[in-house]
Amino acid sequence: MKKKSIMFQFIVVFLTISILLYGCEQQPKEPTTPPTTPEGVNSVVNANNQFSLEFYSNLKDKEGNIFFSPYSISTALAMAYEGAREHTAKEIQSVFHFPEDNNLRRASFAAVYNQLNQKDAKYKLSTANALWVQQDFKLLDGYTNTIQEYYSGKATNVDFVGAAEKTRQTINSWVEDKTNNKIKNLFPPGSLTPLSRLVLTNAIYFKGTWVKQFDKSDTKDEDFRVSSDKTVKVPMMRKTGKDAKFSYTETDDLQILEMIYEGHELSMLVLLPKNEDLTSIEESLTVEKLDGWKNELREQRVDLFMPKFTFTTKYTLNNNLKEMGMPSAFSTAADFSGIDGTKNLFIQIVVHQAFVDVNEEGTEAAAATGVGVGITSLPPPVPIFRADHPFIFIIQEKKSGIILFFGRVIDPTK
């Protein structure tokens, strides 16, 4: 049987900040990863993960599915933070928890960038940054040099004043290219105007295959309980039997399962409430709890039932970020004088769009066999992980633990 190649696709793009600025055309260079320390990288990872949960908490009262890339959002706002000063910088730092030491933060962002953009990995994972700057508008050399050296962000001159619509199409085309055509029309018509001076963009794209693939012939339509009074039919994938071994742990209220992608460098964590009460899990979820559960994961036999799902999300994040503690960045009180030397700049819009597709396709997984021997008691029952009700899922890079994607499935059919 011919093996399929793609099991899981995650594509996210994040565009932010129609700030007022200028730019100069420069070729980007790969971050050189200046000397940093594991502690420095951990500080950026911890900041990203803390923002992940706090941002999810801000979104969780919305109805329906949720999906976003905290890494993409944090990276785009880190580029803005490099030009923020005084109260504006303090507010952004309070929301994103960026390390305040410039050298440590910049070197650590560069190190994470290089770690994620590996050339010979067994999966596709890439992230890219860019600056889109109104022609003839002067940026400080120190700012553009920082973005180029530590974020690999190319500055491209565009014409918001005379050709806003053409510029919008140019930026959207860059987004499509960097996300394998999965994110389209990020900026809708009219969203960029002659008053725009700078757009900062980050795109992230991931495609990987499961180590433990699902057999497509085993997928059957089954019930998924969206709520106490609503059930939908979904194609439910399954992996059972002796080859169904996964890293797994559980608490009184929650099952936690990890599925590994080829290369063993990225994985998906699924948090499934036992009592179908996702709200109580959401309200008590912390970075410390998540780290504790990951430390408790042990490989064992688990009968896994997982729905296929595909959906797209799009958010305008102005109000979310204001509510989380950085209102001045969106007002005339903003101080982004580290970008152009004036206090005339403010954030006009922050847009985030994401796409996710989960299905059975993938390369054949290597089998793993566990032998249990017991003579004094019956062996423990094999856990059943049946994701037939709302759950949370997280994509992480395993070595650093950085959360790349964070989502919630309420209705797999949406």
Side-chain angles (χ1 to χ4, degrees):
M1 181 180 293
K2 183 178 181 181
K3 298 177 184 178
K4 301 288 186 178
S5 62
I6 301 172
M7 169 62 192
F8 190 92
Q9 292 188 106
F10 254 113
I11 303 95
V12 164
V13 67
F14 181 75
L15 242 117
T16 186
I17 307 186
S18 300
I19 300 185
L20 299 166
L21 300 209
Y22 102 126
C24 50
E25 188 94 22
Q26 299 184 53
Q27 292 300 314
K29 59 182 180 180
E30 294 294 309
T32 55
T33 313
T36 188
T37 63
E39 291 75 20
V41 171
N42 286 341
S43 69
V44 167
V45 170
N46 293 338
N48 176 89
N49 293 357
Q50 184 67 37
F51 169 74
S52 300
L53 271 66
E54 291 174 358
F55 185 64
Y56 179 80
S57 180
N58 186 270
L59 292 178
K60 65 182 174 58
D61 291 335
K62 293 178 177 288
E63 293 185 2
N65 302 324
I66 291 173
F67 185 63
F68 63 94
S69 169
Y71 171 79
S72 183
I73 299 173
S74 293
T75 299
L77 266 296
M79 292 191 290
Y81 179 69
E82 294 292 352
R85 297 294 182 266
E86 302 298 334
H87 61 284
T88 302
K90 290 178 181 178
E91 288 181 358
I92 296 175
Q93 195 280 330
S94 73
V95 172
F96 290 91
H97 311 287
F98 296 136
E100 295 183 71
D101 183 293
N102 288 340
N103 292 330
L104 181 146
R105 181 185 64 257
R106 294 165 182 170
S108 299
F109 261 99
V112 171
Y113 176 97
N114 285 337
Q115 187 167 321
L116 297 182
N117 285 278
Q118 296 183 43
K119 302 299 184 184
D120 300 319
K122 293 185 178 180
Y123 50 84
K124 293 182 179 180
L125 176 62
S126 61
T127 182
N129 301 310
L131 305 181
W132 309 89
V133 190
Q134 172 62 32
Q135 60 190 16
D136 302 323
F137 192 83
K138 179 69 176 169
L139 298 179
L140 295 176
D141 289 341
Y143 179 74
T144 55
N145 290 341
T146 294
I147 300 304
Q148 180 175 331
E149 181 173 358
Y150 297 102
Y151 298 89
S152 194
K154 176 187 176 182
T156 299
N157 288 326
V158 291
D159 186 6
F160 293 110
V161 175
E165 175 61 17
K166 181 179 179 180
T167 296
R168 182 188 71 87
Q169 294 173 359
T170 297
I171 295 173
N172 284 348
S173 293
W174 182 89
V175 170
E176 290 184 30
D177 178 66
K178 297 301 181 182
T179 62
N180 198 31
N181 299 312
K182 297 301 180 181
I183 300 297
K184 299 182 178 181
N185 200 35
L186 182 69
F187 276 115
S191 57
L192 299 180
T193 74
L195 295 178
S196 301
R197 291 297 179 270
L198 172 70
V199 169
L200 307 179
T201 60
N202 170 272
I204 183 169
Y205 173 77
F206 168 67
K207 182 170 70 175
T209 63
W210 305 116
V211 168
K212 298 292 179 72
Q213 66 176 350
F214 294 88
D215 189 331
K216 201 169 186 177
S217 65
D218 290 335
T219 299
K220 310 293 182 186
D221 284 348
E222 296 188 23
D223 288 340
F224 185 97
R225 294 183 298 283
V226 175
S227 63
S228 59
D229 57 358
K230 181 180 180 181
T231 299
V232 297
K233 288 289 186 182
V234 300
M236 188 73 73
M237 305 181 293
R238 63 184 64 200
K239 184 70 175 175
T240 61
K242 65 180 182 179
D243 292 339
K245 301 187 74 175
F246 300 91
S247 292
Y248 175 85
T249 191
E250 61 181 73
T251 69
D252 291 341
D253 304 316
L254 186 67
Q255 292 178 282
I256 304 99
L257 181 136
E258 181 179 34
M259 293 184 286
I260 308 295
Y261 295 101
E262 283 238 350
H264 295 264
E265 295 178 356
L266 289 94
S267 68
M268 175 190 280
L269 295 171
V270 184
L271 312 183
L272 180 70
K274 290 182 177 180
N275 57 7
E276 302 187 23
D277 182 11
L278 185 62
T279 300
S280 62
I281 301 300
E282 291 176 322
E283 291 178 348
S284 62
L285 188 59
T286 65
V287 170
E288 291 76 20
K289 282 188 176 182
L290 185 59
D291 288 342
W293 294 332
K294 290 195 290 185
N295 289 334
E296 294 296 321
L297 291 169
R298 299 291 183 273
E299 187 176 84
Q300 67 177 86
R301 274 271 292 107
V302 182
D303 287 341
L304 172 60
F305 299 82
M306 186 76 179
K308 295 171 61 174
F309 58 91
T310 301
F311 57 85
T312 299
T313 59
K314 189 168 186 176
Y315 309 99
T316 299
L317 303 183
N318 296 33
N319 289 336
N320 304 90
L321 297 177
K322 290 177 186 177
E323 291 169 2
M324 293 176 70
M326 48 175 286
S328 71
F330 297 89
S331 74
T332 55
D335 185 349
F336 286 101
S337 56
I339 298 180
D340 76 330
T342 78
K343 294 185 179 181
N344 297 329
L345 312 178
F346 67 98
I347 296 177
Q348 293 177 322
I349 188 170
V350 179
V351 183
H352 185 66
Q353 185 172 342
F355 167 84
V356 57
D357 177 23
V358 179
N359 58 48
E360 310 93 341
E361 295 179 358
T363 57
E364 186 175 1
T369 303
V371 179
V373 178
I375 60 173
T376 61
S377 63
L378 292 174
V382 174
I384 297 176
F385 194 96
R386 184 179 290 276
D388 61 356
H389 52 278
F391 58 88
I392 293 169
F393 64 99
I394 296 167
I395 298 297
Q396 64 170 357
E397 197 273 336
K398 288 176 65 62
K399 181 178 179 181
S400 67
I402 193 167
I403 296 173
L404 301 176
F405 305 96
F406 202 114
R408 177 182 74 186
V409 175
I410 295 294
D411 185 344
T413 67
K414 295 296 185 180

